[in-house]
Short mmCIF file of all heavy atoms in Angstrom, two decimals:
data_model
loop_
_atom_site.label_atom_id
_atom_site.label_comp_id
_atom_site.label_asym_id
_atom_site.label_seq_id
_atom_site.Cartn_x
_atom_site.Cartn_y
_atom_site.Cartn_z
N ALA A 1210 0.82 -1.22 -0.01
CA ALA A 1210 -0.01 0.00 0.01
C ALA A 1210 0.86 1.26 0.01
O ALA A 1210 1.97 1.28 0.54
CB ALA A 1210 -0.90 0.03 1.19
N ASN A 1211 0.35 2.32 -0.61
CA ASN A 1211 1.03 3.58 -0.63
C ASN A 1211 0.14 4.68 -0.12
O ASN A 1211 -1.09 4.59 -0.21
CB ASN A 1211 1.52 3.92 -2.07
CG ASN A 1211 2.69 4.86 -2.11
OD1 ASN A 1211 3.20 5.28 -1.05
ND2 ASN A 1211 3.15 5.20 -3.30
N SER A 1212 0.75 5.74 0.38
CA SER A 1212 -0.01 6.84 0.93
C SER A 1212 -0.78 7.54 -0.19
O SER A 1212 -0.20 7.85 -1.24
CB SER A 1212 0.89 7.84 1.60
OG SER A 1212 0.19 9.00 2.01
N PRO A 1213 -2.08 7.86 0.00
CA PRO A 1213 -2.80 8.61 -1.05
C PRO A 1213 -2.39 10.07 -1.16
O PRO A 1213 -2.68 10.70 -2.14
CB PRO A 1213 -4.28 8.47 -0.57
CG PRO A 1213 -4.15 8.23 0.89
CD PRO A 1213 -2.91 7.47 1.12
N SER A 1214 -1.68 10.57 -0.16
CA SER A 1214 -1.20 11.94 -0.14
C SER A 1214 0.30 11.96 0.03
O SER A 1214 0.88 11.15 0.76
CB SER A 1214 -1.84 12.73 0.97
OG SER A 1214 -1.21 14.02 1.14
N PHE A 1215 0.98 12.89 -0.65
CA PHE A 1215 2.41 13.05 -0.50
C PHE A 1215 2.76 14.23 0.37
O PHE A 1215 3.91 14.62 0.50
CB PHE A 1215 3.06 13.20 -1.88
CG PHE A 1215 3.34 11.91 -2.58
CD1 PHE A 1215 2.50 10.83 -2.48
CD2 PHE A 1215 4.46 11.74 -3.37
CE1 PHE A 1215 2.72 9.63 -3.10
CE2 PHE A 1215 4.73 10.49 -4.01
CZ PHE A 1215 3.85 9.48 -3.88
N GLU A 1216 1.76 14.81 1.01
CA GLU A 1216 1.99 15.94 1.95
C GLU A 1216 2.67 15.37 3.20
O GLU A 1216 2.33 14.29 3.69
CB GLU A 1216 0.62 16.58 2.32
CG GLU A 1216 0.75 17.87 3.11
CD GLU A 1216 0.84 17.60 4.62
OE1 GLU A 1216 0.16 16.72 5.11
OE2 GLU A 1216 1.63 18.32 5.27
N ASP A 1217 3.70 16.08 3.68
CA ASP A 1217 4.61 15.56 4.71
C ASP A 1217 3.85 14.91 5.88
O ASP A 1217 4.08 13.74 6.25
CB ASP A 1217 5.52 16.67 5.26
CG ASP A 1217 6.58 17.05 4.25
OD1 ASP A 1217 6.57 16.52 3.14
OD2 ASP A 1217 7.44 17.93 4.61
N LYS A 1218 2.97 15.65 6.54
CA LYS A 1218 2.26 15.15 7.72
C LYS A 1218 1.39 13.97 7.42
O LYS A 1218 1.32 12.95 8.13
CB LYS A 1218 1.44 16.29 8.35
CG LYS A 1218 0.84 15.99 9.71
CD LYS A 1218 0.30 17.27 10.35
CE LYS A 1218 -0.33 16.97 11.71
NZ LYS A 1218 -1.67 16.38 11.60
N ALA A 1219 0.67 14.06 6.26
CA ALA A 1219 -0.25 12.98 5.88
C ALA A 1219 0.46 11.70 5.60
O ALA A 1219 0.00 10.58 5.95
CB ALA A 1219 -1.10 13.42 4.67
N VAL A 1220 1.63 11.79 4.94
CA VAL A 1220 2.42 10.59 4.61
C VAL A 1220 2.89 9.91 5.86
O VAL A 1220 2.75 8.66 6.01
CB VAL A 1220 3.67 10.97 3.72
CG1 VAL A 1220 4.61 9.80 3.64
CG2 VAL A 1220 3.20 11.33 2.31
N LEU A 1221 3.44 10.66 6.81
CA LEU A 1221 3.93 10.07 8.03
C LEU A 1221 2.79 9.42 8.80
O LEU A 1221 2.94 8.26 9.31
CB LEU A 1221 4.61 11.17 8.90
CG LEU A 1221 5.26 10.67 10.20
CD1 LEU A 1221 6.40 9.67 9.87
CD2 LEU A 1221 5.79 11.83 11.01
N GLU A 1222 1.65 10.08 8.91
CA GLU A 1222 0.52 9.54 9.64
C GLU A 1222 0.04 8.24 8.95
O GLU A 1222 -0.33 7.27 9.61
CB GLU A 1222 -0.62 10.53 9.73
CG GLU A 1222 -0.34 11.69 10.69
CD GLU A 1222 -1.47 12.68 10.76
OE1 GLU A 1222 -2.42 12.56 9.97
OE2 GLU A 1222 -1.39 13.59 11.62
N PHE A 1223 0.02 8.22 7.60
CA PHE A 1223 -0.44 7.04 6.90
C PHE A 1223 0.46 5.83 7.22
O PHE A 1223 -0.04 4.78 7.60
CB PHE A 1223 -0.45 7.29 5.40
CG PHE A 1223 -0.82 6.06 4.60
CD1 PHE A 1223 -2.13 5.73 4.35
CD2 PHE A 1223 0.19 5.20 4.11
CE1 PHE A 1223 -2.46 4.56 3.66
CE2 PHE A 1223 -0.13 4.03 3.42
CZ PHE A 1223 -1.45 3.71 3.20
N PHE A 1224 1.74 5.98 7.01
CA PHE A 1224 2.65 4.85 7.18
C PHE A 1224 2.75 4.40 8.65
O PHE A 1224 2.85 3.19 8.93
CB PHE A 1224 4.03 5.14 6.59
CG PHE A 1224 4.07 5.08 5.10
CD1 PHE A 1224 4.44 6.21 4.37
CD2 PHE A 1224 3.73 3.92 4.46
CE1 PHE A 1224 4.48 6.14 2.97
CE2 PHE A 1224 3.77 3.86 3.06
CZ PHE A 1224 4.10 4.99 2.31
N GLU A 1225 2.69 5.34 9.60
CA GLU A 1225 2.74 4.96 11.01
C GLU A 1225 1.44 4.27 11.44
O GLU A 1225 1.46 3.21 12.09
CB GLU A 1225 3.01 6.16 11.87
CG GLU A 1225 4.47 6.64 11.79
CD GLU A 1225 4.80 7.70 12.80
OE1 GLU A 1225 3.92 8.46 13.22
OE2 GLU A 1225 5.99 7.82 13.15
N THR A 1226 0.29 4.85 11.09
CA THR A 1226 -0.96 4.26 11.51
C THR A 1226 -1.24 2.92 10.83
O THR A 1226 -1.57 1.91 11.47
CB THR A 1226 -2.12 5.23 11.17
OG1 THR A 1226 -1.89 6.49 11.80
CG2 THR A 1226 -3.48 4.68 11.65
N SER A 1227 -1.02 2.88 9.52
CA SER A 1227 -1.21 1.67 8.76
C SER A 1227 -0.27 0.57 9.28
O SER A 1227 -0.69 -0.57 9.49
CB SER A 1227 -0.99 1.92 7.28
OG SER A 1227 -1.06 0.71 6.53
N GLY A 1228 1.00 0.94 9.49
CA GLY A 1228 1.96 -0.02 9.94
C GLY A 1228 1.62 -0.60 11.29
O GLY A 1228 1.70 -1.85 11.50
N ARG A 1229 1.24 0.24 12.24
CA ARG A 1229 0.92 -0.21 13.57
C ARG A 1229 -0.28 -1.20 13.57
O ARG A 1229 -0.27 -2.26 14.17
CB ARG A 1229 0.66 0.93 14.50
CG ARG A 1229 1.90 1.71 14.93
CD ARG A 1229 1.62 2.63 16.10
NE ARG A 1229 2.81 3.39 16.47
CZ ARG A 1229 3.00 4.66 16.09
NH1 ARG A 1229 2.11 5.31 15.35
NH2 ARG A 1229 4.12 5.29 16.48
N ASN A 1230 -1.33 -0.76 12.85
CA ASN A 1230 -2.54 -1.56 12.80
C ASN A 1230 -2.28 -2.93 12.11
O ASN A 1230 -2.75 -3.97 12.60
CB ASN A 1230 -3.65 -0.83 12.03
CG ASN A 1230 -4.22 0.34 12.82
OD1 ASN A 1230 -4.07 0.42 14.04
ND2 ASN A 1230 -4.89 1.22 12.13
N LEU A 1231 -1.56 -2.88 11.01
CA LEU A 1231 -1.31 -4.12 10.30
C LEU A 1231 -0.44 -5.08 11.07
O LEU A 1231 -0.77 -6.28 11.18
CB LEU A 1231 -0.63 -3.79 8.92
CG LEU A 1231 -0.33 -4.94 8.00
CD1 LEU A 1231 -1.61 -5.74 7.67
CD2 LEU A 1231 0.31 -4.41 6.69
N LEU A 1232 0.64 -4.59 11.68
CA LEU A 1232 1.51 -5.48 12.40
C LEU A 1232 0.85 -6.03 13.66
O LEU A 1232 1.06 -7.21 14.02
CB LEU A 1232 2.79 -4.69 12.78
CG LEU A 1232 3.70 -4.35 11.61
CD1 LEU A 1232 4.70 -3.27 11.95
CD2 LEU A 1232 4.42 -5.56 11.06
N ALA A 1233 0.02 -5.26 14.31
CA ALA A 1233 -0.71 -5.73 15.46
C ALA A 1233 -1.68 -6.84 15.09
O ALA A 1233 -1.79 -7.89 15.80
CB ALA A 1233 -1.50 -4.58 16.14
N ALA A 1234 -2.37 -6.66 13.97
CA ALA A 1234 -3.29 -7.70 13.48
C ALA A 1234 -2.54 -8.96 13.06
O ALA A 1234 -3.02 -10.09 13.27
CB ALA A 1234 -4.12 -7.15 12.31
N GLU A 1235 -1.36 -8.80 12.50
CA GLU A 1235 -0.55 -9.92 12.10
C GLU A 1235 -0.09 -10.76 13.32
O GLU A 1235 -0.09 -11.99 13.25
CB GLU A 1235 0.66 -9.49 11.29
CG GLU A 1235 0.32 -9.01 9.90
CD GLU A 1235 1.55 -8.54 9.13
OE1 GLU A 1235 2.67 -9.03 9.42
OE2 GLU A 1235 1.42 -7.66 8.26
N LYS A 1236 0.27 -10.05 14.39
CA LYS A 1236 0.68 -10.78 15.61
C LYS A 1236 -0.47 -11.66 16.11
O LYS A 1236 -0.26 -12.84 16.49
CB LYS A 1236 1.11 -9.76 16.71
CG LYS A 1236 2.55 -9.33 16.54
CD LYS A 1236 3.02 -8.62 17.81
CE LYS A 1236 4.48 -8.32 17.74
NZ LYS A 1236 5.00 -7.68 18.97
N LEU A 1237 -1.68 -11.09 16.15
CA LEU A 1237 -2.83 -11.84 16.64
C LEU A 1237 -3.13 -13.04 15.72
O LEU A 1237 -3.60 -14.06 16.18
CB LEU A 1237 -4.05 -10.92 16.73
CG LEU A 1237 -4.00 -9.86 17.83
CD1 LEU A 1237 -5.18 -8.92 17.71
CD2 LEU A 1237 -3.96 -10.50 19.18
N ALA A 1238 -2.88 -12.87 14.42
CA ALA A 1238 -3.21 -13.94 13.47
C ALA A 1238 -2.10 -14.97 13.34
O ALA A 1238 -2.27 -16.00 12.70
CB ALA A 1238 -3.50 -13.31 12.12
N GLY A 1239 -0.91 -14.66 13.94
CA GLY A 1239 0.18 -15.62 13.82
C GLY A 1239 0.86 -15.63 12.46
O GLY A 1239 1.40 -16.68 12.03
N VAL A 1240 0.87 -14.50 11.79
CA VAL A 1240 1.54 -14.42 10.49
C VAL A 1240 3.01 -14.71 10.65
O VAL A 1240 3.67 -14.23 11.56
CB VAL A 1240 1.29 -13.01 9.87
CG1 VAL A 1240 2.20 -12.80 8.66
CG2 VAL A 1240 -0.15 -12.83 9.48
N LYS A 1241 3.59 -15.46 9.68
CA LYS A 1241 4.94 -15.95 9.82
C LYS A 1241 5.95 -15.12 8.99
O LYS A 1241 7.17 -15.29 9.13
CB LYS A 1241 5.05 -17.41 9.37
CG LYS A 1241 4.22 -18.35 10.23
CD LYS A 1241 4.36 -19.77 9.73
CE LYS A 1241 3.67 -20.77 10.70
NZ LYS A 1241 2.23 -20.57 10.78
N HIS A 1242 5.46 -14.25 8.06
CA HIS A 1242 6.40 -13.47 7.24
C HIS A 1242 5.69 -12.19 6.80
O HIS A 1242 4.70 -12.23 6.08
CB HIS A 1242 6.80 -14.34 6.01
CG HIS A 1242 7.91 -13.74 5.20
ND1 HIS A 1242 8.35 -14.28 4.01
CD2 HIS A 1242 8.67 -12.62 5.38
CE1 HIS A 1242 9.34 -13.57 3.49
NE2 HIS A 1242 9.57 -12.54 4.30
N HIS A 1243 6.26 -11.08 7.21
CA HIS A 1243 5.76 -9.73 6.79
C HIS A 1243 6.74 -9.20 5.75
O HIS A 1243 7.95 -9.12 5.98
CB HIS A 1243 5.68 -8.79 7.98
CG HIS A 1243 5.28 -7.41 7.61
ND1 HIS A 1243 3.96 -6.98 7.66
CD2 HIS A 1243 5.98 -6.34 7.15
CE1 HIS A 1243 3.88 -5.72 7.26
NE2 HIS A 1243 5.10 -5.32 6.96
N ILE A 1244 6.20 -8.79 4.62
CA ILE A 1244 7.01 -8.26 3.53
C ILE A 1244 6.54 -6.84 3.19
O ILE A 1244 5.31 -6.63 3.07
CB ILE A 1244 6.91 -9.14 2.28
CG1 ILE A 1244 7.36 -10.60 2.60
CG2 ILE A 1244 7.76 -8.56 1.11
CD1 ILE A 1244 6.81 -11.62 1.65
N ALA A 1245 7.43 -5.92 3.08
CA ALA A 1245 7.06 -4.59 2.73
C ALA A 1245 7.89 -4.06 1.55
O ALA A 1245 9.08 -4.36 1.49
CB ALA A 1245 7.27 -3.63 3.92
N LEU A 1246 7.25 -3.35 0.67
CA LEU A 1246 7.94 -2.74 -0.45
C LEU A 1246 8.28 -1.30 -0.10
O LEU A 1246 7.39 -0.50 0.23
CB LEU A 1246 7.03 -2.77 -1.71
CG LEU A 1246 7.64 -2.19 -2.98
CD1 LEU A 1246 8.91 -2.93 -3.39
CD2 LEU A 1246 6.60 -2.24 -4.10
N SER A 1247 9.55 -0.97 -0.10
CA SER A 1247 10.02 0.37 0.22
C SER A 1247 10.92 0.83 -0.93
O SER A 1247 10.86 0.32 -2.03
CB SER A 1247 10.74 0.37 1.58
OG SER A 1247 10.91 1.69 2.04
#
């Protein structure tokens, strides 16, 4: 996933919020491999 906005504050909020939510859900689900495109 990529941020829909390239504005500084919006980009940071997107990647931090999305990242925290996704990784927390993965822990609960027992995901064995997280891959990110950077």
Side-chain angles (χ1 to χ4, degrees):
N1211 204 0
S1212 173
S1214 168
F1215 276 36
E1216 189 273 322
D1217 287 3
K1218 186 168 182 282
V1220 168
L1221 185 61
E1222 288 180 354
F1223 175 87
F1224 284 121
E1225 287 189 332
T1226 303
S1227 177
R1229 287 194 182 100
N1230 288 342
L1231 182 57
L1232 291 164
E1235 287 179 29
K1236 276 194 173 181
L1237 290 174
V1240 169
K1241 296 180 174 63
H1242 189 185
H1243 176 94
I1244 301 158
L1246 181 60
S1247 193

